[in-house]
Amino acid sequence: MIEVDNLSKRYGDKLAVDALSFTVRSGVVTGFLGPNGAGKSTTMRMIMGLDRPSSGTTRINSRPYEQHKAPLQEIGALLEAKAIHPGRSAYHHLVALAASNGIGKRRVLEVIDMVGLTEVARKRAGGFSLGMGQRLGIASALLGDPQVVMLDEPVNGLDPEGVLWIRNLLKDLADRGRTVFVSSHLMSEMALIAEDLIVIGRGRLLSAGPLADFVAQSSGRSVRVRSPQAAHLRDLLVGDGVSVTSSEPGVLDVQGLDAAEIGERAAASGLVLHELSLQEASLEEAFMELTRDAVEYHATTAEFATTGGTNR
Amino acid sequence: MSTTALAPHDTPETAGRHAAGQRVTFPRVVHMEWIKLRSLRSTIYTLAITVALVVGFGLLLSSVVGSGEGPGQDDFGDPTSISLGGVTLAALAISVLGVLMSAGEYATGTIRATLSAVPARLPVLWGKVVVFAAVSFVLMFIAALGAFLAGQSVLSSRDMATAALSDPGVFRALVGAAVYLTGAGLIGLAVGALLRNTAGAITLVVGALFVVPGLIQLLPSSWNDAIGPYLPSNAGNSFMAVQTTGDALSPGAGLAVFAGYIVVLLAGAAVLLKRRDA
């Protein structure tokens, strides 16, 4: 379990993390979502005790991380790929880390095998690709067979096979009762693996809870209806609490009625339907809506024009 | 493999908790630093270069001193210091190694992995100090002894005055050379940990050990006499010399001053390591 309580981090006059509080429970995969610059990595570094909070506390399995006697059994983290000396082999890097916690060489070989680096483990890590560096980082996170696994953007640089492997690994860990905390700015990835979701923007908590609630609470569902008699159908459907919009001729997006009700009304009036489908708000849309005002770096040409050359 | 290896016995609260004997102890942190030191070619090379400088330069000086070319015999107090003439230059190499051992971890990002494994932080610094001091002292003493024996035999073959290991002060001078080289490396290690920047730390250490002593000599002699003996390099020279000359400190005082620099720098490194973001 990870507990973050009223956590803040200030860099100069910029508040990177602002009074953040949340709990990550064990047994499920929890996604940590936010636009670039939202403070995800800073929060994770503070949980690992690498950055010192300006105020607030973080606890792993009920204690501040640095008070644990066997740290690598409590939490394993991937915070940046290639946190390794380019002249050292992956094997020696892991053996050294393992030695500090009294973890044997057998476990080192096990995790190297697990992440698929056996063939290159004895080579100097300087020649590793981003994907291999990512796998090495995951190997070091798993070294102590920890209760909590925390990964910052783990799928970066991985090939599709690697992405699938990570997904299965994380679900497997969660099924074994471990706490799994994964950051990403890719909503689509989160939709596939996360059960809980913590969303932050500009260092502040925007939402925390089950992913399903997160999607349901956002703008919600609509039903798409395609019909050659769309205009007639629209008149039939609009009413109290029902809104109908149209994005192209012959297509209606209906909110406030479910698909069955729409189908029955159309049949009762003898109208022809070519399509009747439930449109769930994607996680992506829900996320965009939630963070619209909290995006640090808007890619608008207007902003470029006003700030260009000043290098804030 | 990937599923069986994770954990054989899992319930949410007890899974894998504190498997037999797995916890952080200081000897284990020392072990980690030892593995890190020996698993890099660059450290092996730098240590080899340092040994080669101590022995090779000592031999070179022993072969040319008093021959009319190169330095004259009067430049050295005694035969021992001729054969230890490579120590000053070797200190340059080993202080760079010290810097690489600490600042190098920041440059490569390894420090984040290290501090994740040992979140108490301070044992990491002390572990580096122990490993570096032990490896360096043993190697540098062997190098100094080799330089002395080889140098004296060259001097003897040239019918020049020689010293024996049993002569008063000679053994102390050899130990002193190993202590000085090890200390120069520890100064590099501490400065590297303070600045966390390889190039900056190397510049600062080289400046303090090799450039400042030369600049001080340009000052009025009353200043030079007051400050000079307390510079790290000159304090070190006083316990590497068989005979104390001129206004140099006594061997004991020199050692105390030299150790003082190391203690203050390491204490500063420890305070900042504990306080700063990694």
Side-chain angles (χ1 to χ4, degrees):
Chain A
M1 190 163 76
I2 302 173
E3 293 158 281
V4 169
D5 186 24
N6 208 17
L7 189 67
S8 295
K9 178 69 180 179
R10 181 178 286 282
Y11 294 112
D13 57 359
K14 185 178 171 355
L15 206 50
V17 174
D18 187 0
L20 202 53
S21 296
F22 60 81
T23 300
V24 183
R25 64 190 171 115
S26 60
V28 296
V29 175
T30 301
F32 193 26
L33 219 54
N36 291 334
K40 301 186 296 289
S41 297
T42 304
T43 302
M44 286 182 150
R45 280 202 304 272
M46 286 192 281
I47 291 171
M48 283 307 284
L50 293 174
D51 280 11
R52 302 303 198 198
S54 302
S55 66
T57 56
T58 65
R59 296 196 301 171
I60 291 166
N61 304 328
S62 312
R63 275 190 205 181
Y65 184 49
E66 64 173 78
Q67 288 178 14
H68 283 291
K69 296 266 185 288
L72 290 183
Q73 285 185 31
E74 303 296 338
I75 185 167
L78 164 75
L79 293 187
E80 56 196 308
K82 298 190 117 182
I84 179 175
H85 195 297
R88 193 176 278 126
S89 72
Y91 173 76
H92 278 121
H93 177 74
L94 292 173
V95 164
L97 292 177
S100 68
N101 277 242
I103 297 165
K105 288 186 179 155
R106 228 186 92 213
R107 177 65 186 171
V108 172
L109 295 173
E110 235 168 53
V111 294
I112 288 174
D113 183 47
M114 213 184 288
V115 301
L117 286 181
T118 307
E119 304 217 327
V120 293
R122 300 274 180 170
K123 298 208 170 90
R124 287 149 57 103
F128 277 21
S129 67
L130 179 57
M132 285 152 85
Q134 210 69 316
R135 284 167 184 267
L136 174 60
I138 290 162
S140 67
L142 296 177
L143 206 50
D145 193 13
Q147 279 302 299
V148 180
V149 175
M150 182 166 75
L151 310 175
D152 195 4
E153 305 274 359
V155 300
N156 266 5
L158 289 182
D159 50 23
E161 183 254 326
V163 172
L164 187 64
W165 168 73
I166 286 269
R167 231 178 257 159
N168 290 335
L169 173 75
L170 297 181
K171 283 187 170 162
D172 184 49
L173 285 165
D175 287 346
R176 286 159 187 277
R178 309 300 172 86
T179 304
V180 182
F181 191 40
V182 192
S183 83
S184 180
H185 62 276
L186 296 175
M187 318 325 135
S188 46
E189 189 58 32
M190 287 289 109
L192 289 169
I193 56 172
E195 200 164 314
D196 282 2
L197 206 58
I198 289 162
V199 185
I200 65 171
R202 293 191 193 234
R204 304 189 70 101
L205 188 69
L206 298 178
S207 163
L211 180 117
D213 294 1
F214 177 74
V215 178
Q217 278 163 18
S218 62
S219 55
R221 321 163 158 220
S222 66
V223 178
R224 165 181 291 235
V225 191
R226 194 184 291 271
S227 166
Q229 295 139 302
H232 190 177
L233 186 62
R234 172 197 287 265
D235 299 338
L236 208 62
L237 297 176
V238 284
D240 242 11
V242 180
S243 71
V244 180
T245 55
S246 180
S247 51
E248 55 182 293
V251 176
L252 303 175
D253 286 304
V254 184
Q255 279 188 303
L257 284 176
D258 63 14
E261 178 70 25
I262 297 170
E264 277 162 27
R265 288 199 198 174
S269 304
L271 298 178
V272 177
L273 299 186
H274 290 169
E275 182 190 348
L276 183 64
S277 60
L278 184 64
Q279 307 287 304
E280 254 182 291
S282 68
L283 188 57
E284 193 103 27
E285 287 157 351
F287 174 77
M288 299 286 272
E289 187 179 290
L290 186 63
T291 60
R292 194 177 299 131
D293 302 324
V295 175
E296 188 82 354
Y297 308 105
H298 280 289
T300 58
T301 40
E303 188 155 334
F304 267 115
T306 54
T307 62
T310 58
N311 199 10
R312 311 176 274 178
Chain B
M1 190 73 212
S2 59
T3 49
T4 54
L6 286 173
H9 50 78
D10 277 4
T11 64
E13 292 314 312
T14 63
R17 302 285 294 178
H18 299 242
Q22 289 186 7
R23 58 191 190 90
V24 176
T25 62
F26 185 62
R28 283 174 173 167
V29 176
V30 170
H31 187 201
M32 166 172 75
E33 291 303 327
W34 164 239
I35 295 170
K36 283 201 265 183
L37 181 81
R38 69 181 169 80
S39 60
L40 280 184
R41 277 190 228 163
S42 57
T43 44
I44 310 294
Y45 291 160
T46 315
L47 282 169
I49 287 169
T50 311
V51 171
L53 283 173
V54 173
V55 178
F57 224 74
L59 269 177
L60 183 69
L61 284 171
S62 303
S63 323
V64 299
V65 162
S67 67
E69 297 186 45
Q73 211 164 353
D74 301 343
D75 294 340
F76 296 91
D78 57 85
T80 306
S81 61
I82 296 174
S83 52
L84 291 182
V87 168
T88 313
L89 201 57
L92 186 69
I94 201 151
S95 61
V96 168
L97 180 61
V99 168
L100 290 178
M101 202 170 168
S102 54
E105 283 218 16
Y106 287 93
T108 59
T110 315
I111 191 72
R112 257 85 69 191
T114 302
L115 295 182
S116 297
V118 186
R121 294 192 178 190
L122 287 186
V124 173
L125 180 64
W126 307 139
K128 285 183 191 298
V129 168
V130 166
V131 168
F132 184 88
V135 169
S136 167
F137 183 80
V138 170
L139 276 178
M140 293 310 125
F141 180 71
I142 293 169
L145 187 63
F148 174 79
L149 295 175
Q152 298 307 311
S153 81
V154 169
L155 288 174
S156 156
S157 73
R158 296 174 58 219
D159 294 326
M160 294 178 66
T162 60
L165 204 51
S166 54
D167 288 353
V170 168
F171 190 76
R172 193 209 66 228
L174 297 185
V175 172
V179 167
Y180 177 67
L181 288 167
T182 302
L186 287 177
I187 288 174
L189 198 157
V191 172
L194 283 166
L195 297 190
R196 308 196 291 188
N197 176 301
T198 313
I202 289 175
T203 307
L204 187 63
V205 171
V206 169
L209 290 181
F210 303 93
V211 180
V212 172
L215 292 178
I216 290 282
Q217 288 184 346
L218 303 175
L219 294 175
S221 67
S222 62
W223 292 32
N224 184 9
D225 294 348
I227 305 169
Y230 296 96
L231 294 176
S233 51
N234 293 341
N237 281 326
S238 69
F239 59 80
M240 276 191 287
V242 175
Q243 297 144 352
T244 311
T245 52
D247 45 33
L249 299 172
S250 72
L255 182 62
V257 168
F258 189 62
Y261 282 109
I262 297 169
V263 168
V264 167
L265 288 170
L266 282 175
V271 169
L272 288 186
L273 175 65
K274 198 73 185 165
R275 193 178 292 166
R276 285 196 290 210
D277 291 346

